[in-house]
Amino acid sequence: MGRPTSSSSSIDSPNHFAFSSTASSQRDLTTDLRLGLSISIAPPFVREQWPPMKAAVAEEEHECNSSTFYVKVYMEGIPIGRKLDLLAHESYYDLIRTLEHMFHTNIIWAEAEMDRDHYEKYHVLTYEDKEGDWMMVGDVPWEMFLSAVRRLKISKC
Amino acid sequence: MHKKMAFSFPDEVLEHVFSFIQSDKDRNAVSMVCKSWYEIERWCRRKVFVGNCYAVSPRMVIRRFPEFRSIELKGKPHFADFNLVPDGWGGYVFPWIAEMAGAYPWLEEIRLKRMVVTDESLELIAKSFKNFKVLVLSSCEGFSTDGLAAIAASCKNLKELDLRDCEVDDLSAHWLSHFPETYTSLVSLNISCLGSDEASFSALERLVRRCTNLKTLRLNRAVPLDKIANILRHAPQLVEFGTGTYTADVRPDVYSDLAGVLSSCKELKSLSGFWDVIPDYLPAIYPVCSKLTSLNLSYATIQSPDLIKLVSHCPNLQRLLVLDYIEDSGLEVLASSCKDLQELRVFPSDPFGAEPNVSLTEQGLVAVSLGCPKLQSVLYFCRRMSNEALVTIARSRPNFTRFRLCIIEPKTADYLTLEPLDVGFGAIVQYCKDLRRLSLSGLLTDRVFEYIGTYAKKLEMLSVAFAGDSDLGLHHVLSGCESLRKLEIRDCPFGDKALLANAAKLETMRSLWISSCAVSFAACKLLGQKMPRLNVEVIDERGPPDSRPENCPVDKLYIYRSIAGPRFDMPPFVWTMDEDSGLRLS
């Protein structure tokens, strides 16, 4: 974790305790992605352990640090959810592949084809957006999806 | 010649009188009247409170109080809650358990906060204390469900098992089954911190069914909504209940089951849990809302309209914990509906977001301060504040005893005037004469510390971050706050001068934490040398402090008074400065 060590700057320097909200980000993202995602890119030495909250309450929603974006995924009928790093995926196809593997099922999304005779083998993938609405995954461009998604749900057909 | 005082009582009479004195402070005062009172008091003290487990050794406590039944110990400094204390720092309870197990078997109650508790410690408790009744572990870590199984299996008279905010290694779901079928004494069970625990629902149900004195039950997230009805059905006498996950597919049978069972709990006063809440199931709790005095919604990610509906059903609410989804509008409703409100905590739903995601500002806090005459304790996270709002709050609510404000962005100025918030917090300490705890935030100069030193005479705990201009700030606090016991500071320009000038003050306090400030290693050594009754501990993960120039600031410093001398269980990144520190540091 990148904390600047005190020995590298003089104690009397006015910058020693300065807080700059425009310090360079440690993330390696395309400009589009950074603009689309309203994730804080405050310098780690301030963001670390701030604001002062106990872990359980602070980590409830998104866990966003320098290059990950974890969202919760629940499958219908199973109370214990999983967490998935969306930024570890390049595209919808990548995401679907991971989910099918994680949950051992076939996933229906906007671009999937389904064998209608065996619908019980399929699950539908939806996501909750910033407005709290549940939408089918795959209709909007991947980057737009990343900026809107809050969590995922896999439901029976 | 012996002259017997006309008014000296036999010891038994004094002992009987002392038995009515419960508070530690009063007990301590009694013990200082004279030698014979000291002796009588120490033999009849039944509850011991040790605010810092390193301030005294277990042997010293046992020697002084040979017959205590209940002990409360606190370990790590408060900033450990925010990950500022590295793992392995200390706070081990085992030495205490080992000494007490050896000394006497009649210990009944152990309450621990921020301590490291191992399975070995739990097993030793289970084995050593035949009449063990109460185990409360608050923000503790280091143990697994195996240790809990040992407690369950052996403690036949256990009444209370409370694991609030603990980090537990969830090895086996079956520890609950270790409570024997003959065991029925449980009164309070809080397992809300446990992870997945699917397989033990039937054990839990059976336990609840046979423990007819159960008053408090806080479940963990893994307990699904449709199982709650089965559990509650057997415990209509519950006073405090924490749900598990509060989401499920909306089914009328599950809903009516739940609503029916909840409405038969006539004694219910406190609710918590509510992970993953979906609004459809909230009305199930409306029948119990009118009696509720405490509601913890800090995991309930529901929006303002649903929160407003819920809160308007609870006119007797005294304590509310909620996410900032409640927004200013919700807090206004709270202010008009809940006139008995004493404590409010509002947590941020998106603390790391760059932009506010909800409409929660200083207005919400102002509304509640104006509307709730009994409000005395507040923890409030928001993104903007003004001096005007703080002055209004202070004037309308002089009965605050705890005021903790966290403006999320460090060094945020008054959004109306762009000035520091010195005047606002100054008003808080000036008007709230009984203020015992204060947390500051926002843009603050040395001025605010001048106000605090001048007015905050009853202040016992102060938390400061990203504030002040110079040592003068720290000096104001240390020289002015007569009742100060705990001071925790991070990222402030406070250095050697104020600390060394006020060294004697530190012996009147429990502890001082200073991190990412400007206290030099030289000053730490000096303090350690001059003040033998203080443990001056330097915490520095960069390596030994003497591998850098003496005037380099240390990373973290924890100073506490102690009659036990320096501790010996320190990890490699903690150094104690003592009288010989100039000579033997390596």
Side-chain angles (χ1 to χ4, degrees):
Chain A
M1 303 216 219
R3 291 189 65 173
T5 57
S6 310
S7 54
S8 63
S9 61
S10 126
I11 296 165
D12 297 321
S13 153
N15 289 325
H16 187 67
F17 303 100
F19 164 68
S20 162
S21 58
T22 56
S24 61
S25 160
Q26 287 185 351
R27 302 165 64 169
D28 186 22
L29 294 172
T30 63
T31 313
D32 294 74
L33 203 51
R34 204 183 310 135
L35 288 175
L37 293 167
S38 57
I39 298 172
S40 167
I41 50 169
F45 82 91
V46 169
R47 268 207 41 228
E48 242 171 70
Q49 306 121 3
W50 185 269
M53 300 169 59
K54 287 190 188 170
V57 185
E59 287 161 14
E60 262 316 295
E61 290 289 294
H62 312 307
E63 257 176 309
C64 304
N65 51 38
S66 47
S67 57
T68 60
F69 180 26
Y70 281 94
V71 296
K72 297 178 190 174
V73 191
Y74 278 90
M75 180 179 237
E76 186 183 329
I78 300 179
I80 312 302
R82 303 289 302 266
K83 270 197 166 166
L84 186 72
D85 179 7
L86 288 180
L87 291 186
H89 299 84
E90 316 257 279
S91 66
Y92 285 120
Y93 293 95
D94 214 2
L95 173 65
I96 300 302
R97 206 175 25 238
T98 301
L99 286 171
E100 288 186 328
H101 188 256
M102 224 184 217
F103 291 94
H104 308 297
T105 185
N106 300 306
I107 302 269
I108 299 287
W109 56 293
E111 297 199 18
E113 286 177 9
M114 181 176 91
D115 175 4
R116 283 173 197 281
D117 292 329
H118 297 283
Y119 63 87
E120 69 277 1
K121 285 201 291 200
Y122 291 87
H123 282 80
V124 177
L125 179 64
T126 54
Y127 72 96
E128 187 185 18
D129 69 8
K130 284 200 150 96
E131 279 139 18
D133 299 320
W134 287 93
M135 315 293 291
M136 175 165 270
V137 166
D139 287 322
V140 301
W142 174 246
E143 281 80 13
M144 198 184 288
F145 167 70
L146 287 179
S147 69
V149 62
R150 281 171 49 179
R151 53 181 161 167
L152 297 170
K153 186 163 74 178
I154 301 177
S155 321
K156 299 192 179 96
C157 273
Chain B
M1 245 204 312
H2 254 320
K3 194 175 179 191
K4 208 162 189 188
M5 299 294 278
F7 38 82
S8 73
F9 298 111
D11 290 358
E12 300 79 44
V13 175
L14 278 172
E15 207 178 295
H16 183 69
V17 171
F18 294 168
S19 68
F20 294 100
I21 299 170
Q22 303 289 348
S23 108
D24 294 301
K25 260 188 173 164
D26 293 340
R27 280 261 168 179
N28 291 344
V30 159
S31 68
M32 297 213 286
V33 167
C34 63
K35 282 209 175 102
S36 67
W37 280 36
Y38 178 94
E39 275 303 307
I40 298 166
E41 195 281 319
R42 77 181 188 92
W43 277 96
C44 69
R45 189 175 305 205
R46 296 284 174 260
K47 289 179 75 154
V48 173
F49 170 74
V50 181
N52 175 2
C53 64
Y54 290 119
V56 66
S57 75
R59 203 162 292 182
M60 285 170 169
V61 174
I62 294 168
R63 200 166 51 215
R64 180 170 170 190
F65 302 113
E67 297 201 352
F68 66 89
R69 299 273 183 279
S70 155
I71 188 161
E72 183 175 348
L73 292 167
K74 295 190 181 180
K76 299 186 206 175
H78 173 243
F79 271 174
D81 285 356
F82 317 131
N83 297 319
L84 277 156
V85 177
D87 278 344
W89 173 85
Y92 307 104
V93 79
F94 188 79
W96 288 84
I97 309 291
E99 286 284 347
M100 293 188 294
Y104 45 82
W106 49 85
L107 189 66
E108 293 178 0
E109 304 182 1
I110 295 176
R111 291 178 173 81
L112 305 175
K113 189 166 188 179
R114 288 190 206 99
M115 294 198 76
V116 177
V117 182
T118 55
D119 284 345
E120 205 187 348
S121 306
L122 292 174
E123 281 151 23
L124 192 53
I125 292 173
K127 211 169 40 178
S128 318
F129 308 118
K130 295 301 160 206
N131 200 25
F132 195 66
K133 294 201 175 117
V134 172
L135 184 63
V136 177
L137 303 178
S138 177
S139 303
C140 295
E141 47 160 0
F143 60 103
S144 77
T145 43
D146 287 351
L148 296 176
I151 297 282
S154 308
C155 301
K156 301 189 184 4
N157 294 317
L158 192 71
K159 284 174 42 181
E160 206 175 314
L161 179 61
D162 185 333
L163 307 172
R164 57 184 80 155
D165 298 319
C166 288
E167 265 182 52
V168 185
D169 206 357
D170 231 308
L171 297 176
S172 156
H174 297 291
W175 72 274
L176 265 172
S177 329
H178 286 251
F179 282 110
E181 288 302 316
T182 48
Y183 167 76
T184 57
S185 353
L186 200 58
V187 173
S188 171
L189 180 66
N190 180 347
I191 50 170
S192 51
C193 64
L194 293 184
S196 68
D197 207 13
E198 279 189 71
S200 66
F201 295 146
S202 54
L204 182 59
E205 257 180 76
R206 285 197 314 273
L207 183 65
V208 171
R209 200 180 314 186
R210 65 184 187 270
C211 295
T212 52
N213 287 323
L214 195 65
K215 294 281 190 293
T216 298
L217 178 63
R218 306 245 189 232
L219 302 172
N220 58 327
R221 192 175 188 171
V223 180
L225 192 56
D226 52 358
K227 287 273 190 273
I228 288 180
N230 286 340
I231 293 171
L232 277 177
R233 213 182 308 279
H234 302 296
Q237 76 284 0
L238 277 183
V239 175
E240 301 183 321
F241 180 62
T243 75
T245 185
Y246 206 79
T247 189
D249 301 323
V250 185
R251 279 166 36 203
D253 55 328
V254 172
Y255 180 92
S256 55
D257 220 7
L258 181 64
V261 136
L262 275 169
S263 54
S264 65
C265 295
K266 305 279 182 215
E267 312 294 322
L268 215 47
K269 289 224 170 63
S270 163
L271 282 178
S272 62
F274 297 109
W275 283 278
D276 319 302
V277 169
I278 55 165
D280 304 75
Y281 275 105
L282 273 179
I285 71 170
Y286 288 170
V288 299
C289 282
S290 61
K291 292 220 188 85
L292 281 186
T293 56
S294 168
L295 189 52
N296 184 348
L297 297 169
S298 35
Y299 298 107
T301 49
I302 43 172
Q303 304 300 317
S304 189
D306 297 304
L307 284 165
I308 288 177
K309 259 192 251 155
L310 186 49
V311 150
S312 352
H313 277 82
C314 307
N316 289 311
L317 211 54
Q318 293 172 16
R319 183 168 188 262
L320 177 65
L321 279 65
V322 71
L323 286 168
D324 58 7
Y325 289 126
I326 194 168
E327 298 193 328
D328 290 337
S329 52
L331 290 174
E332 273 155 38
V333 173
L334 183 68
S336 57
S337 314
C338 303
K339 294 303 184 186
D340 278 347
L341 196 69
Q342 293 173 23
E343 179 178 352
L344 174 67
R345 298 193 186 205
V346 179
F347 297 104
S349 52
D350 186 16
F352 305 117
E355 297 297 317
N357 59 326
V358 291
S359 177
L360 179 105
T361 68
E362 82 285 3
Q363 292 306 317
L365 186 56
V366 171
V368 182
S369 303
L370 286 171
C372 300
K374 298 190 189 164
L375 189 66
Q376 40 167 281
S377 171
V378 140
L379 170 58
Y380 198 79
F381 285 82
C382 61
R383 287 193 146 89
R384 72 174 202 205
M385 188 48 62
S386 66
N387 284 306
E388 185 185 319
L390 282 169
V391 172
T392 305
I393 290 166
R395 283 208 165 116
S396 59
R397 206 48 43 232
N399 44 323
F400 271 123
T401 54
R402 291 189 213 72
F403 190 81
R404 298 161 69 186
L405 179 66
C406 181
I407 304 165
I408 289 178
E409 188 76 8
K411 303 198 183 184
T412 303
D414 176 328
Y415 78 98
L416 294 170
T417 64
L418 298 183
E419 282 172 2
L421 291 170
D422 300 335
V423 167
F425 279 105
I428 295 282
V429 292
Q430 195 182 340
Y431 286 99
C432 305
K433 301 202 192 302
D434 290 324
L435 196 67
R436 293 196 313 262
R437 185 168 179 183
L438 177 65
S439 299
L440 306 172
S441 58
L443 182 64
L444 296 164
T445 71
D446 284 345
R447 201 84 192 286
V448 73
F449 297 110
E450 197 182 340
Y451 290 132
I452 291 173
T454 306
Y455 293 109
K457 294 305 180 188
K458 298 241 178 92
L459 193 65
E460 297 178 6
M461 182 170 179
L462 179 65
S463 307
V464 186
F466 303 102
D469 309 309
S470 74
D471 270 56
L472 203 50
L474 180 56
H475 176 70
H476 284 308
V477 172
L478 288 176
S479 56
C481 297
E482 290 157 9
S483 312
L484 198 62
R485 292 189 297 113
K486 289 179 280 183
L487 179 58
E488 48 186 22
I489 301 173
R490 60 165 289 184
D491 295 279
C492 296
F494 299 150
D496 302 345
K497 285 196 288 248
L499 201 55
L500 292 173
N502 292 282
K505 170 74 173 176
L506 300 177
E507 269 188 16
T508 68
M509 293 165 53
R510 181 187 296 173
S511 66
L512 166 62
W513 168 282
I514 295 198
S515 59
S516 305
C517 293
V519 180
S520 72
F521 179 49
C524 295
K525 279 197 290 188
L526 194 56
L527 204 55
Q529 278 165 19
K530 296 274 186 234
M531 310 291 297
R533 286 183 302 197
L534 290 181
N535 280 359
V536 179
E537 294 182 5
V538 171
I539 302 166
D540 211 319
E541 289 175 287
R542 296 171 294 176
D546 59 355
S547 64
R548 287 176 289 277
E550 263 200 0
N551 61 352
C552 253
V554 296
D555 184 22
K556 297 169 181 169
L557 183 60
Y558 185 51
I559 302 171
Y560 57 92
R561 66 181 176 188
S562 176
I563 54 171
R567 59 184 178 115
F568 297 106
D569 61 356
M570 296 174 302
F573 51 84
V574 177
W575 292 267
T576 298
M577 314 285 110
D578 55 25
E579 295 101 90
D580 314 317
S581 61
L583 303 169
R584 69 165 173 71
L585 262 166
S586 55

